[in-house]
Amino acid sequence: MVSLEKIVALCKRRGFIFQGSEIYGGLGGTWDYGPAGSQLKKNLKDLWWKEMVQLRDDVVGMDAAIMMNPRAWEASGHVEAFTDPLIECKICHQRFRADKPEEIEIHEKTHKGKKVEWTEPMKFNLLVKAYLGIIEGKQSEIYLRGEITNGVHVNFRNVVDSTRVKIPFGIAQIGKAFRNEITPGNFTFRSREFEQMEVQFYIKPIESEGEKWFNYWKKNRMDWYLSLGMKKDNLRFRDHANDERAHYAKMATDIETDIEYKAPWGWSEFMGIHHRGDWDLKRHSEYSKQNLSYRDQTTNETFIPWDIETSAGVDRSLLFLLIDSYTEEKDRLFLKLDPRLAPYKVAVFPLLGNKPELTKKAREIYEKLKINFMTAWDDRGNIGKRYASADEIGTPYCITVDFQSLEDNMVTVRDRDSAKQERIKIDEIEEFLDKKLNG
Ligand code: GAP
């Protein structure tokens, strides 16, 4: 498997991901997505949204505010229980997570044989605080959301009242979350600002329904990641042990399963399926004093629904898709990304950048293609370098206009994965791409 260093270097070289605030020496746990990275991220989120909202009759979307009334975070249990165990090295005062023995071991080695003593573990709350409004002090203290979930639960009533949803149904959301991680690391894997894609799927509070939908979403999510081209051998399910469940699950129905990826540093979670029971709606009902129960119109039963949540990290999914698509073959390096994910679908080049007749023709093709396809233009350097650049960004097709094109109105199309070239008519490029990219 490719090393993380190679992925980080590629991301910087080709404009996928840069260190956050790099010119100021960075800001720990933050990352900026560049031109290729932001497009890849958008494509991933768009595919997720299409699958979860557009193609399903039982899921609707929403986009809640990041800043919420702080009572919502008390209700959800985050103020009290969203903590990691923190320990401090008594030699250098660096802080670590007590539940990450590998990281502690690595740190102890940096003290070269000296006996390292640690403080007792203490609970460290991960919520990031901010101040809102013009009054200074406690009254203006709010939290940036630690998970995107609360914004959906607090709108349960609004969605039921404003749409035609009937249980079982889900509410999908994509957005940023913030955590004051003690040790951000492994590139974007553990960041302090990241994005999540979640569905809160509300069901009848019956054990058999819970089991059915939990298993349904496990399979559904695994199949989706496989359909995006993730390698089967690099994926596995892992059930949470009793002592590692999130506070909402511990207090609810006690099942959590992660989908893990075999990362360069070991098996690592990038999404979870959580049976949250009635924890959230019940607590928000109590704290807001609003009725968040659901009335089944056909049976006339009234109940607080259970929630089966699927929660995926956008950044972690993207990182693992990059690792899985990184392909070194002979003297070539390319990203074998599913064309639906690829930031650019096609690149157009004039064979030589300093021949106006070639540039004019190539430009005409580029201007036409970009209306329907994310298209890159490149007239720098030699053709070999342009192919290398397009390969490393994962562009499935490159089109070159040469002198022959001026005579026969045909161009060379090169396929990213095989590096094979064929001649096709200029008039047929769009049809060709449509067939190749959309099947
Ligand atoms: N709403 C449930 C929830 O937030 P979680 O397991 O804490 O559950 C869900 O987070 C996903 O969010 C994780 O599987 C991971 O992909 C992503 N995630 C969590 N913390 C992260 C971090 N510090 N950096 C990047 N992604 C993170």
Side-chain angles (χ1 to χ4, degrees):
M1 177 180 282
V2 57
S3 67
L4 189 60
E5 289 70 31
K6 281 191 178 178
I7 292 290
V8 174
L10 173 87
C11 283
K12 166 121 174 135
R13 185 166 74 244
R14 295 298 175 200
F16 281 97
I17 304 171
F18 309 122
Q19 186 185 11
S21 316
E22 191 181 76
I23 63 166
Y24 290 101
L27 177 71
T30 66
W31 299 95
D32 296 338
Y33 287 76
S38 54
Q39 187 64 44
L40 172 58
K41 202 177 187 201
K42 180 180 181 304
N43 294 347
L44 177 63
K45 291 189 287 182
D46 286 351
L47 280 175
W48 185 92
W49 193 264
K50 182 171 182 189
E51 166 100 3
M52 289 299 210
V53 182
Q54 187 179 331
L55 296 178
R56 292 190 71 104
D57 296 337
D58 57 357
V59 177
V60 292
M62 71 165 291
D63 182 17
I66 288 177
M67 300 186 291
M68 297 180 77
N69 187 313
R71 284 284 283 164
W73 297 104
E74 287 169 31
S76 63
H78 285 79
V79 171
E80 193 195 325
F82 193 48
T83 57
D84 275 340
L86 177 147
I87 52 170
E88 189 173 306
C89 167
K90 287 192 180 171
I91 301 177
C92 65
H93 303 290
Q94 272 200 64
R95 292 171 160 197
F96 292 87
R97 269 174 67 172
D99 58 348
K100 297 277 169 202
E102 357 37 274
E103 292 171 19
I104 292 166
E105 205 178 304
I106 292 170
H107 179 71
E108 288 185 344
K109 283 192 187 135
T110 65
H111 289 299
K112 300 199 170 91
K114 264 197 207 158
K115 172 141 181 50
V116 178
E117 286 190 42
W118 295 94
T119 58
E120 284 300 309
M122 61 174 186
K123 282 185 180 174
F124 179 77
N125 195 294
L126 301 183
L127 285 175
V128 176
K129 280 186 187 156
Y131 297 91
L132 187 69
I134 50 167
I135 302 162
E136 276 192 27
K138 261 291 196 216
Q139 297 111 299
S140 62
E141 204 173 271
I142 59 158
Y143 305 102
L144 300 185
R145 59 187 180 192
E147 57 174 354
I148 61 172
T149 327
N150 260 345
V152 167
H153 291 310
V154 301
N155 280 292
F156 176 77
R157 176 90 282 131
N158 281 336
V159 173
V160 169
D161 289 349
S162 62
T163 66
R164 294 158 55 90
V165 290
K166 283 204 182 86
I167 272 180
F169 75 90
I171 304 179
Q173 186 177 217
I174 300 178
K176 292 261 186 177
F178 305 82
R179 293 184 190 177
N180 204 357
E181 293 286 355
I182 298 167
T183 45
N186 287 330
F187 197 24
T188 56
F189 179 77
R190 204 187 301 146
S191 314
R192 290 186 169 127
E193 174 177 338
F194 54 93
E195 251 178 302
Q196 296 182 312
M197 325 184 259
E198 292 190 345
V199 171
Q200 308 304 320
F201 198 78
Y202 298 104
I203 59 169
K204 275 190 173 178
I206 301 172
E207 290 295 338
S208 57
E209 283 289 288
E211 205 181 311
K212 179 176 99 187
W213 284 108
F214 191 81
N215 289 328
Y216 168 85
W217 282 114
K218 265 175 75 173
K219 180 171 174 344
N220 177 289
R221 290 300 77 205
M222 180 63 100
D223 288 350
W224 189 66
Y225 279 105
L226 290 172
S227 80
L228 293 183
M230 271 177 124
K231 294 178 183 153
K232 203 168 183 191
D233 290 348
N234 289 343
L235 297 178
R236 72 173 188 193
F237 288 117
R238 191 182 72 88
D239 292 335
H240 278 206
N242 285 345
D243 61 354
E244 54 175 346
R245 287 184 188 122
H247 61 271
Y248 48 77
K250 221 178 264 160
M251 294 172 216
T253 318
D254 277 357
I255 338 179
E256 281 192 47
T257 297
D258 291 334
I259 301 186
E260 292 192 327
Y261 178 83
K262 202 200 271 170
W265 60 89
W267 285 101
S268 306
E269 169 209 333
F270 69 97
M271 81 153 296
I273 298 103
H274 308 136
H275 192 323
R276 297 176 74 117
D278 61 7
W279 165 257
D280 301 272
L281 289 183
K282 209 165 162 185
R283 291 274 292 202
H284 286 302
S285 253
E286 273 167 39
Y287 278 65
S288 67
K289 306 213 170 10
Q290 303 291 315
N291 179 7
L292 298 182
S293 59
Y294 173 87
R295 190 161 156 268
D296 191 315
Q297 306 282 355
T298 36
T299 61
N300 264 336
E301 291 166 281
T302 299
F303 52 82
I304 300 237
W306 283 355
D307 170 33
I308 307 292
E309 169 191 68
T310 70
S311 175
V314 177
D315 311 78
R316 287 186 187 179
S317 302
L318 189 150
L319 176 60
F320 295 154
L321 283 161
L322 279 177
I323 296 176
D324 257 1
S325 61
Y326 190 98
T327 313
E328 277 171 325
E329 250 177 40
K330 292 185 213 135
D331 53 351
R332 220 159 65 83
L333 163 58
F334 61 102
L335 287 186
K336 209 171 179 171
L337 284 171
D338 183 309
R340 293 171 301 166
L341 288 169
Y344 298 99
K345 311 305 173 195
V346 56
V348 180
F349 319 142
L351 181 65
L352 300 169
N354 57 0
K355 296 284 173 203
E357 61 276 37
L358 294 184
T359 306
K360 182 170 174 280
K361 188 113 193 148
R363 200 79 206 167
E364 277 168 20
I365 295 171
Y366 166 74
E367 294 294 343
K368 202 159 168 230
L369 288 184
K370 77 178 185 185
I371 296 166
N372 290 319
F373 303 93
M374 195 69 195
T375 309
W377 169 261
D378 198 352
D379 59 3
R380 304 161 304 168
N382 64 43
I383 196 87
K385 282 204 175 128
R386 293 186 218 150
Y387 280 149
S389 155
D391 278 351
E392 287 193 13
I393 293 170
T395 308
Y397 297 99
C398 292
I399 290 176
T400 304
V401 172
D402 54 22
F403 290 106
Q404 186 68 29
S405 310
L406 303 177
E407 316 253 301
D408 63 6
N409 269 324
M410 293 181 88
V411 287
T412 304
V413 182
R414 175 183 173 276
D415 178 279
R416 175 195 69 195
D417 297 347
S418 64
K420 284 205 178 110
Q421 303 188 2
E422 62 179 299
R423 297 284 288 180
I424 64 167
K425 288 185 185 150
I426 291 176
D427 286 349
E428 289 171 9
I429 299 175
E430 279 192 80
E431 198 186 323
F432 171 91
L433 288 175
D434 201 38
K435 219 186 255 164
K436 294 280 188 186
L437 296 168
N438 303 322

